[in-house]
Amino acid sequence: MADHTLDQIGPRLKSWRQKRGLTLDELSALTAISSSTISRLEAGKRAPNLELVVPLARALRLELDDLVPPVVPDPRVPRVTKRIDQVVFEQLSPESSPSQAARVTFPTPEPGVVPDPRVHDGYEWLYVLSGRLRLVLGDHDIVMGAGEAAEFDTRTPHWLRSAGPGPAEVLAIFSKQGKRIHLRAKTTAPTGTMGE
């Protein structure tokens, strides 16, 4: 447990004791912990341990979480970048997130590439950050510009690539399964696809 977390236990204990309207002596009588020990614990002059905190929490009708603040993890997402069939994926969400976000850069298109739509379970949401994106979705063949968004059921055959003249950069949000599909290298995928 981090030191700054331990430092918060004493003040929380004192606050809860006062909310319950108990004196140090009254809390001592309920727990068989001396009032001087409780006082030192509240003032941060005694290190908390389970032998002290558990009976005090019980006497105050609290859960341990009420006295021991939760540890807030570092919110930053580690930078992970993958290149699949010339498409660059930069991970924007942690692996544990139920929805996966990525910045996807589709390269400048090569001439003669034929759409090869794929399907998989899930939903996908796209926002074009820059460039022009070609989205083939079922019977639709759409070119989207910067600032445009699309959402679709990925069980509908779909295919994505830059519409040129340069690369297209897209913010994509999809399910974990969709992420696995997108980041699976396929040697037979046409250049410029998401490798679905």
Side-chain angles (χ1 to χ4, degrees), residues 34-46:
S34 73
S35 56
S36 64
T37 298
I38 298 171
S39 176
R40 288 182 12 245
L41 184 60
E42 289 182 352
K45 295 177 181 175
R46 167 94 189 233

Side-chain angles (χ1 to χ4, degrees), residues 150-173:
E151 182 180 6
F152 54 90
D153 185 328
T154 55
R155 292 173 296 183
T156 302
H158 60 285
W159 181 82
L160 300 153
R161 69 178 285 226
S162 169
E169 188 177 54
V170 173
L171 174 62
I173 300 175

Side-chain angles (χ1 to χ4, degrees), residues 110-129:
E110 294 180 7
V113 174
V114 177
D116 181 19
R118 305 293 175 101
V119 297
H120 57 85
D121 287 335
Y123 251 79
E124 188 159 333
W125 178 87
L126 304 169
Y127 178 80
V128 182
L129 297 168

